[in-house]
Amino acid sequence: MFSGWPDGFDRIPDSDWVQLPVEELALKYDTVEDHGWYRNLDRTVSAITDWVQPDHLLVDYSGGTGILASRLLEEASQRRFGILIVDSSPKFLRLALEKLRRHERVAFRLIRYLKPEKRLQLMQEVLGSTLLERKLDGLVSTNAIHLYYGLEDTLRSWAEVLRPGGRVFIQSGNIGLPYLPAGSWIIDETVDAIHKAALQIVAEEERYRAYRAGSTDPERMRRYDDLRRKFFLPVRPIEHYLQRLEGSGFRVLEVTHLPIEAHVDQWYEFLATYHEGVLGWVGGSARLEGSPPDETALTHRMQLIREAMERIFHGKSSFQALWTYINAEVAG
Ligand SMILES: C[S@@+](CC[C@H](N)C(=O)[O-])C[C@H]1O[C@@H](n2cnc3c(N)ncnc32)[C@H](O)[C@@H]1O
């Protein structure tokens, strides 16, 4: 029996999202678990395993479909600690629930979007009084911090719900660095490179002639640049994160980097799900043009993503992406 949850705390809340069916998009995302580049979780799993103590409560913030939580349950099974998966996507969280609802050491909470205030709920608004009183021992955020548009509010809310000395484990492959080893990538920056290479291919190859006029219309392409940046946010530099952590009540303990090998095939598979964001200008995007691309354009779009990847990775089957790991603790 795991006794770490405070009295009166429901692991599975009585909420609308719990009743939703499991959706395709979440199942599709969940397959990244088998991708080589998801070894990015290894360092985080071992850092948590080294630190965690029995009865600790750890928040898996942006825990998504529960991939990290499953790994922690497998690899630190002897350490009897609790994991609270918190996410802003009901679809992802629903799949996490499907996979892990039988684990008494795992609990689930949805971060809701507050429409009138145009913001996500803060941790204080999500946890409930029993956990707020107890406070949490640690928080982990994997492959997600680059997505937080309200970064400062998010970090301050983390500090608020953690105990003094509580730990934070952050990692992402989309943190900008002042230097990159030759041949290494910040993983989402491959998307801009694919876009540029596809523009060249369209200009050079007759079979893509149909997309030339659209791809040289500056006004149209500005709209597609904006669309791409909605799917793949511009990379913010590491200093941006470190300064905001320090300014939100954390002491940064360690910053490390690790090259992660990504297979081009698997990265293609991942990007193919978001093809509208990568090369929406090939055939057009329904949200910008009012109608979706036809089948031929869609086929061309996928081919172009593939060919552009061959070009930027020089026909190699894998590339190196650089992940950044930041460990911090609540100061004072
Ligand atoms: C790329 S997935 C990573 C999921 C998981 N941590 C992993 O490593 O597999 C990013 C996750 O961040 C969540 N997310 C996106 N924007 C967020 C935000 N502003 N605040 C909290 N979570 C967010 C998404 O719902 C999604 O589950």
Side-chain angles (χ1 to χ4, degrees), residues 224-240:
Y224 280 98
D225 288 345
D226 288 347
L227 181 65
R228 196 168 59 257
R229 286 183 199 119
K230 274 197 188 127
F231 277 81
F232 302 93
L233 279 79
V235 172
R236 295 177 283 195
I238 181 136
E239 277 310 317
H240 181 90

Side-chain angles (χ1 to χ4, degrees), residues 118-298:
K118 295 200 177 105
R119 65 169 180 92
L120 287 170
Q121 284 181 314
L122 298 169
M123 282 293 277
Q124 303 90 300
E125 298 164 303
V126 169
L127 290 186
S129 56
T130 51
L131 277 183
L132 281 178
E133 266 163 43
R134 182 208 177 273
K135 297 225 175 222
L136 296 142
D137 302 288
L139 181 148
V140 55
S141 160
T142 61
N143 297 309
I145 197 166
H146 55 278
L147 302 170
Y148 304 165
Y149 48 87
L151 181 64
E152 279 160 302
D153 288 342
T154 305
L155 295 178
R156 272 198 294 270
S157 84
W158 291 0
E160 187 85 11
V161 301
L162 288 165
R163 65 168 163 80
R167 274 297 166 93
V168 169
F169 304 88
I170 297 164
Q171 58 99 309
S172 163
N174 284 306
I175 293 183
L177 301 171
Y179 65 90
L180 269 183
S184 286
W185 291 85
I186 294 300
I187 198 150
D188 278 6
E189 287 183 347
T190 59
V191 174
D192 250 21
I194 289 167
H195 155 71
K196 287 186 184 128
L199 281 174
Q200 281 173 358
I201 297 170
V202 165
E204 288 162 14
E205 309 234 353
E206 277 309 297
R207 66 203 151 107
Y208 297 128
R209 200 179 49 234
Y211 312 108
R212 276 186 202 151
S215 70
T216 48
D217 172 346
E219 168 48 30
R220 178 175 185 267
M221 289 311 276
R222 239 191 314 278
R223 289 188 290 127
Y224 280 98
D225 288 345
D226 288 347
L227 181 65
R228 196 168 59 257
R229 286 183 199 119
K230 274 197 188 127
F231 277 81
F232 302 93
L233 279 79
V235 172
R236 295 177 283 195
I238 181 136
E239 277 310 317
H240 181 90
Y241 294 98
L242 298 182
Q243 280 167 8
R244 278 155 188 79
L245 272 165
E246 299 274 1
S248 308
F250 290 99
R251 187 145 53 91
V252 174
L253 301 173
E254 191 179 45
V255 180
T256 58
H257 309 286
L258 194 65
I260 300 285
E261 188 174 14
H263 291 281
V264 174
D265 284 353
Q266 293 176 340
W267 187 232
Y268 169 78
E269 205 184 302
F270 179 83
L271 289 182
T273 312
Y274 306 102
H275 58 81
E276 183 188 355
V278 184
L279 289 189
W281 54 269
V282 178
S285 141
R287 54 184 107 185
L288 296 190
E289 317 282 355
S291 56
D294 62 31
E295 287 234 344
T296 312
L298 212 50

Side-chain angles (χ1 to χ4, degrees), residues 29-30 38 41 59-70 83-89 92-93 95-96 99-100 108-109 111 140-144 148:
Y29 187 85
D30 203 44
Y38 244 65
L41 293 183
V59 180
D60 183 1
Y61 191 89
S62 306
T65 58
I67 297 175
L68 175 75
S70 305
I83 306 171
L84 174 65
I85 303 180
V86 171
D87 201 276
S88 56
S89 159
F92 280 18
L93 198 60
L95 180 55
K99 289 159 60 182
L100 297 167
F108 308 84
R109 287 293 182 272
I111 308 171
V140 55
S141 160
T142 61
N143 297 309
Y148 304 165

